[in-house]
Amino acid sequence: MTHKRWTTLVSIGLTATMLAACGNGGNGGNGAAGNAGSEPSKAENGSTGSGSGGNVTLRYALWDSNQEKGARKIADAFEAKNPNIKIKIEVAGWSDYWTMLEAGATGGSLPDVFWMHSNEIYRYASNGMLLDLNDQIAKSTEVKLENYPEGLNQIYNFDGKQYAVPRDFDTIGLWYNKTLFDKANLSYPDENWTWDDLKSAAKTLTKDGVYGLLAPMHNQEGYYNFVYQNGGTIITDDKKSGYDDPKTIEALDYYISFTREGLSPMTVVDAERPELIKNGKVAMGIFGSWNLSSFAENEYMAKNFDVAVLPKKEKQASIYNGLGHAIDAKTKHPEEAWKFVEFLSSKEGQEMQAELGLAIPAYKGTAQKWVESSSTFHSQVFVDMVQYGVVRPYSNTTLVWEDKAYEALKPAFLGQATVEEAAKNAAKIMNESLSQEK
Amino acid sequence: MQSQAVKRTSGKKAWKEWAWGWFFIAPTIVGLVVLNLIPMAQSAYLSFFKSGDFGRNNIYVGLDNYRKLVQDAQVWHAVANTLLYAAIVVPVSIALAMLIAVLLNQKIAGRSAYRTIYFIPMIAAPAAVTMVWRWMYNQQFGLFNYVLSKFGLPPVDWISNPRLALVSIAVIGIWSVVGYNMVLLLAGLQEIPKDYYEASDIDGAGRIRQFFVITLPLVTPTLFFVVVTSVIQAMQVFDVIFMMIDVTNPAYDHTVSLVYLFYNSSFKYMDRGYGSAIVMLLLALIMIITFFQMKAQKRWVHYQ
């Protein structure tokens, strides 16, 4: 074994591993690009006779594998109506999904139709990656924007152009353990509940190793709701931070007081939140409507839990958000893609989505069918809360300032800083971040 | 005439050998260039830009990303965490691997079964491994706290205590890498000629003395390779921390690694330029450390 050989071996090892991280990123991209690369050729083959009624294959991408089966059924219904169009569903997990779209957008091979989210709409819309749907919507008899919640329409509207049609929405509810409420002789939460009711119930229910309320360090399924109930804000209309608003600080202080007073476990690890409620460690918890099926599958929760609207302070509020269906700006089949989106967004498509129990449909009046699709919990409350729902705060770089705000607020949760200090610091950092937005 | 012809054929022959040589190493070279060197150069290039969306509209900003890097407290936390992680994982994992390798180098029953068992963590997917560990570390329902409670001890916040989290993560890192290092060291041990041991037996040396006088010096070439690659691997720690620690975790500042920061900047906040600058810093750190290791090897590595 010579010296030189080892040196060579080591230096090869070094170079090979140096950018392993980059390699990883690249792999994701490569994988996606590979997939994407093979698809258009198929679509092209299919499209050779599209003008004369030949077959067209549309790629439809989504990120929730739990909804794949249902989405397939809806696609089947569409195919039955449009025999010349085939839908090919592509599913990727949340983060892989965005890596795939990113690669597709960079390489010019996006899926024809895909789910869009408020966190990402700005980047895709402002870079001309999405098809402007204004004309199609104006001409359509099935899709009229007034049939969808205005807040959701706004998310996908950029410079006056509509880039996606709302598909569904989610709201946040107060989950409570009926059995423990009965034992403590407390009345169940309802729409008349105030912050004081929540606090006193949490105090009564905190005993025997069970915490009254799970108030974790979480924005959407946590303090955002309380901020808006108190008349505060997270981001102002002119894109400034709302964390230094006294109303916001007051709400944060109320929210954090549950942990401070031992009424809520100190929860900072995201994955532990659902485990705490599923194992009966907390009597009440704040969770979004998308947890419905996983909570219903949990025997303990199905037996003991139910859900109510969130309590109120100055007003009632629940954070809501919803995804939309967007079309690739460079799709080879804009007409067929729109036909599909039109079907997905139509009353018929949305009712199917509701009956299949996929997600609360955005089309006004179809949500009732979603409520009926599951009887384990009183899921009607999620639909009720839309009337006073507040769209999840967003701007062009939501992900960046959300994480920075988390970091700044952390000391307040841990009791290492006052809520006011932490909130003002969060406002400062968030404003710095917002000022760098284009 | 004749000599010219000979020359020509020998020239042809040399060229042929040269071509075949390149042909045989081509798969490695092509892979290295396409998958490593080109991306490396691109990362270096990108670190001077403010990256635009979808790889378009990159704006040249000179050293701005590096200026930001120097002032970013989190980057320096990450440097400290990364170095500390390597300082825990490398010595402990190699010491354990050495111990196991020496034990498994003897004639004991079920030797190959043990070797296989120790190697298993290496072939398990890191993300899956981390999921299992995350459960064991779980504060409310985890295995470790359950065991502690059986002894009447209070629960420990393994992955949210800033002082403990990095150690908890290092334990996973050690567990994952011990088997791999063990196999390498075992190969090194088996290259040591038996004669040395026989001779020292006659001279009356005990097992411990044999280990320090014969085994350790003669396995140093392998050990050196293991140390260098382990350091590089430890410096790139990412998946375990990424799976365990969210930005909301109080231990975030005390566990975030350079690659984690790189990932967040490049793929979460879509600031590829800054992410590239971070990864350049990591590259520089690894090169400096490896350079000193190369220098130091003269003092302790014995090539036969």
Side-chain angles (χ1 to χ4, degrees):
Chain A
M1 194 119 331
T2 62
H3 181 135
K4 208 165 183 187
R5 241 169 94 192
W6 277 121
T7 319
T8 328
L9 196 53
V10 166
S11 52
I12 288 174
L14 177 68
T15 25
T17 38
M18 258 177 211
L19 286 185
C22 266
N24 282 343
N27 283 345
N30 285 343
N35 278 337
S38 65
E39 287 316 318
S41 61
K42 210 173 175 184
E44 271 165 44
N45 289 340
S47 73
T48 37
S50 72
S52 54
N55 281 335
V56 167
T57 302
L58 294 177
R59 293 165 60 213
Y60 174 37
L62 42 113
W63 63 72
D64 186 359
S65 57
N66 291 328
Q67 299 195 36
E68 184 183 358
K69 267 188 196 162
R72 184 67 253 169
K73 282 188 185 148
I74 298 174
D76 288 344
F78 173 76
E79 285 176 356
K81 281 189 158 187
N82 301 274
N84 63 325
I85 307 176
K86 292 271 166 287
I87 306 296
K88 188 173 170 295
I89 296 181
E90 296 173 8
V91 186
W94 169 259
S95 61
D96 289 339
Y97 180 85
W98 294 111
T99 313
M100 178 192 85
L101 274 199
E102 172 94 17
T106 310
S109 58
L110 279 170
D112 300 287
V113 177
F114 49 95
W115 286 8
M116 210 359 97
H117 189 267
S118 62
N119 282 349
E120 298 277 349
I121 179 67
Y122 170 79
R123 271 185 346 112
Y124 284 84
S126 66
N127 285 288
M129 293 295 169
L130 307 179
L131 193 69
D132 168 12
L133 304 177
N134 276 2
D135 292 346
Q136 280 91 331
I137 293 171
K139 277 184 242 158
S140 173
T141 49
E142 306 270 346
V143 177
K144 300 209 177 311
L145 287 180
E146 68 258 26
N147 285 329
Y148 309 93
E150 180 53 25
L152 295 183
N153 290 335
Q154 278 310 313
I155 294 176
Y156 301 108
N157 195 299
F158 175 73
D159 277 354
K161 291 171 187 154
Q162 195 69 29
Y163 284 105
V165 185
R167 170 186 185 266
D168 59 30
F169 67 83
D170 50 67
T171 52
I172 315 292
L174 178 66
W175 297 79
Y176 60 96
N177 189 325
K178 291 180 288 186
T179 317
L180 292 180
F181 268 74
D182 290 342
K183 263 192 204 160
N185 239 340
L186 283 168
S187 57
Y188 297 155
D190 58 24
E191 66 279 6
N192 298 318
W193 258 39
T194 62
W195 282 13
D196 293 338
D197 293 322
L198 182 69
K199 193 70 173 272
S200 69
K203 278 181 184 156
T204 315
L205 292 163
T206 303
K207 60 181 175 193
D208 308 330
V210 174
Y211 293 93
L213 173 74
L214 180 61
M217 181 155 165
H218 200 278
N219 47 33
Q220 189 177 2
E221 289 177 290
Y223 56 83
Y224 276 4
N225 298 285
F226 292 84
V227 165
Y228 286 94
Q229 284 158 12
N230 200 36
T233 186
I234 296 297
I235 187 165
T236 60
D237 291 338
D238 55 348
K239 303 287 173 211
K240 291 270 185 312
S241 174
Y243 274 111
D244 48 3
D245 181 329
K247 294 271 187 195
T248 306
I249 294 173
E250 192 185 8
L252 284 170
D253 192 58
Y254 169 79
Y255 185 80
I256 291 170
S257 73
F258 284 93
T259 308
R260 198 165 51 213
E261 293 166 21
L263 306 174
S264 163
M266 165 75 72
T267 314
V268 284
V269 181
D270 198 45
E272 286 181 7
R273 296 186 299 122
E275 301 312 329
L276 285 164
I277 195 162
K278 284 180 185 171
N279 286 283
K281 283 269 175 188
V282 291
M284 294 183 281
I286 301 153
F287 286 93
S289 51
W290 58 90
N291 292 292
L292 201 77
S293 60
S294 87
F295 283 0
E297 277 167 21
N298 181 281
E299 251 174 68
Y300 180 82
M301 283 198 78
K303 195 167 148 252
N304 296 301
F305 272 81
D306 207 343
V307 61
V309 300
L310 291 175
K312 61 185 171 187
K313 172 77 172 169
E314 277 192 7
K315 56 186 173 190
Q316 287 194 291
S318 176
I319 299 295
Y320 83 116
N321 199 5
L323 54 97
H325 279 123
I327 300 177
D328 173 20
K330 298 188 195 76
T331 177
K332 293 198 176 68
H333 319 288
E335 278 169 40
E336 288 84 354
W338 168 251
K339 256 191 181 170
F340 185 45
V341 170
E342 192 175 35
F343 179 75
L344 292 168
S345 317
S346 69
K347 189 153 188 256
E348 187 189 351
Q350 291 270 287
E351 274 178 351
M352 259 192 100
Q353 179 183 318
E355 282 159 8
L356 291 163
L358 294 187
I360 314 177
Y363 197 98
K364 280 178 189 165
T366 59
Q368 198 52 41
K369 287 211 156 71
W370 176 82
V371 173
E372 288 158 10
S373 73
S374 157
S375 56
T376 318
F377 304 113
H378 189 232
S379 48
Q380 176 69 39
V381 297
F382 290 114
V383 179
D384 293 345
M385 282 188 283
V386 173
Q387 40 180 314
Y388 47 80
V390 178
V391 171
R392 185 177 199 260
Y394 68 99
S395 77
N396 305 342
T397 56
T398 317
L399 281 174
V400 181
W401 55 256
E402 270 190 351
D403 268 10
K404 299 212 167 180
Y406 265 148
E407 285 182 44
L409 290 175
K410 210 153 43 178
F413 270 85
L414 301 171
Q416 294 161 349
T418 67
V419 174
E420 193 174 351
E421 280 166 11
K424 288 198 165 147
N425 190 27
K428 191 176 139 250
I429 293 173
M430 182 173 157
N431 280 330
E432 276 169 21
S433 167
L434 282 169
S435 70
Q436 285 171 19
E437 264 183 17
K438 284 165 275 181
Chain B
M1 269 284 262
Q2 207 187 12
S3 72
Q4 232 177 351
V6 169
K7 223 180 187 177
R8 204 186 299 150
T9 45
S10 77
K12 228 180 190 172
K13 205 178 154 198
W15 189 85
K16 243 185 172 173
E17 270 181 11
W18 182 84
W20 274 110
W22 279 102
F23 177 74
F24 281 125
I25 58 165
T28 317
I29 293 286
V30 169
L32 199 65
V33 170
V34 172
L35 295 172
N36 297 93
L37 296 181
I38 292 175
M40 232 167 91
Q42 283 175 332
S43 293
Y45 177 73
L46 199 58
S47 70
F48 298 104
F49 287 83
K50 180 169 175 51
S51 48
D53 296 324
F54 308 113
R56 297 183 309 192
N57 308 326
N58 290 348
I59 303 161
Y60 179 75
V61 291
L63 290 171
D64 273 9
N65 284 326
Y66 289 95
R67 270 185 214 113
K68 190 173 151 197
L69 188 81
V70 175
Q71 289 160 8
D72 190 341
Q74 210 157 51
V75 168
W76 299 109
H77 286 155
V79 169
N81 296 335
T82 307
L83 291 173
L84 187 61
Y85 175 85
I88 299 172
V89 168
V90 174
V92 176
S93 70
I94 291 177
L96 280 175
M98 189 62 144
L99 182 70
I100 299 165
V102 170
L103 293 178
L104 290 185
N105 198 27
Q106 296 165 13
K107 289 194 176 92
I108 49 168
R111 194 165 65 157
S112 53
Y114 285 121
R115 286 180 189 171
T116 313
I117 290 168
Y118 280 110
F119 197 70
I120 284 176
M122 196 60 209
I123 54 169
V129 165
T130 310
M131 297 276 273
V132 175
W133 278 92
R134 199 166 69 186
W135 260 109
M136 297 201 285
Y137 280 140
N138 187 299
Q139 199 177 342
Q140 310 283 342
F141 316 106
L143 180 69
F144 293 136
N145 281 348
Y146 175 75
V147 172
L148 286 183
S149 73
K150 286 283 151 195
F151 291 101
L153 294 165
V156 174
D157 42 356
W158 300 101
I159 54 170
S160 53
N161 183 335
R163 288 192 196 153
L164 198 61
L166 195 68
V167 177
S168 302
I169 289 165
V171 168
I172 308 174
I174 293 165
W175 178 83
S176 310
V177 83
V178 155
Y180 179 69
N181 288 347
M182 184 271 293
V183 166
L184 289 176
L185 289 172
L186 199 54
L189 290 180
Q190 285 174 347
E191 273 188 24
I192 301 173
K194 297 276 175 289
D195 324 6
Y196 294 128
Y197 292 103
E198 283 159 13
S200 66
D201 273 341
I202 294 167
D203 289 345
R207 286 267 173 267
I208 308 277
R209 192 168 158 79
Q210 274 183 349
F211 173 78
F212 284 104
V213 175
I214 303 172
T215 313
L216 200 55
L218 291 180
V219 84
T220 45
T222 314
L223 197 58
F224 175 67
F225 176 75
V226 171
V227 169
V228 172
T229 51
S230 293
V231 168
I232 293 170
Q233 206 187 353
M235 296 286 290
Q236 294 176 345
V237 58
F238 168 66
D239 28 26
V240 175
I241 304 179
F242 174 68
M243 298 276 298
M244 287 252 185
I245 310 284
D246 303 315
V247 70
T248 50
N249 193 311
Y252 178 77
D253 278 342
H254 295 83
T255 49
V256 66
S257 71
L258 278 170
V259 181
Y260 194 176
L261 271 194
F262 153 77
Y263 173 86
N264 274 349
S265 295
S266 294
F267 298 105
K268 199 171 178 193
Y269 310 145
M270 293 299 164
D271 194 350
R272 299 253 152 103
Y274 191 51
S276 300
I278 292 172
V279 100
M280 284 298 124
L281 174 67
L282 176 64
L283 177 69
L285 276 177
I286 293 179
M287 291 224 301
I288 291 167
I289 292 172
T290 310
F291 173 78
F292 281 110
Q293 282 182 315
M294 290 299 201
K295 285 263 164 207
Q297 70 165 330
K298 288 188 190 107
R299 298 210 180 149
W300 65 278
V301 181
H302 304 274
Y303 292 100
Q304 287 177 41

